[in-house]
Amino acid sequence: MTVPDSPVTWLTGALIVFSSLSFFVYGAAAFTSSYMKNEFKRYGLNRFRILVALLEILGALGLLLGLKWKILLVISSGGLGVLMLLGFLVRLKIRDGLWLSLPSFLYMTMCFYLFTRAID
């Protein structure tokens, strides 16, 4: 699966779709899930919950549209990578430990991988 003027291979495409679906789910959960609402309170970031949810949903949409328009893949993957870096740092700050911090680290790594593929 390749798109003209796009760095999308089958592996990159699979990662884009997987990441996009994940960010759609997590973004929606931040709006609706009482568990996610409580997690943002625990992080001390309750006032940013809606913003983070919107950024995740917009980033997810941008990843999918990035399959066609490279600039959207660059912006979305880079932005989500930064968001996950901040999430990882918050987890470390509140001493959640490696196991609870691992998902944000893995998503950060995946997003930055997609970013490097998109700017290549």
Side-chain angles (χ1 to χ4, degrees):
M1 169 171 120
T2 57
V3 177
D5 191 35
S6 175
V8 178
T9 63
W10 72 269
L11 174 61
T12 305
L15 289 174
I16 289 169
V17 170
F18 173 77
S19 296
S20 181
L21 292 174
S22 297
F23 282 111
F24 272 125
V25 168
Y26 278 102
F31 278 117
T32 60
S33 164
S34 59
Y35 173 78
M36 290 296 287
K37 290 176 184 178
N38 288 331
E39 282 293 282
F40 274 86
K41 288 177 187 170
R42 187 173 73 86
Y43 306 150
L45 298 172
N46 191 45
R47 66 179 187 224
F48 295 110
R49 181 178 55 85
I50 300 299
L51 174 63
V52 170
L54 287 172
L55 290 173
E56 287 180 343
I57 291 169
L58 288 173
L61 181 60
L63 288 175
L64 288 179
L65 294 174
L67 289 167
K68 177 135 176 89
W69 294 289
K70 181 178 174 178
I71 188 65
L72 292 178
L73 183 57
V74 171
I75 294 167
S76 298
S77 60
L80 288 168
V82 169
L83 191 65
M84 292 297 98
L85 171 62
L86 294 171
F88 179 66
L89 293 174
V90 166
R91 291 282 193 165
L92 293 178
K93 181 182 176 196
I94 64 172
R95 302 183 190 275
D96 264 355
L98 181 61
W99 187 249
L100 291 175
S101 303
L102 192 58
S104 59
F105 180 80
L106 293 175
Y107 276 96
M108 174 192 68
T109 303
M110 189 167 30
C111 288
F112 285 143
Y113 169 78
L114 293 173
F115 177 77
T116 60
R117 296 291 300 159
I119 62 171
D120 189 21

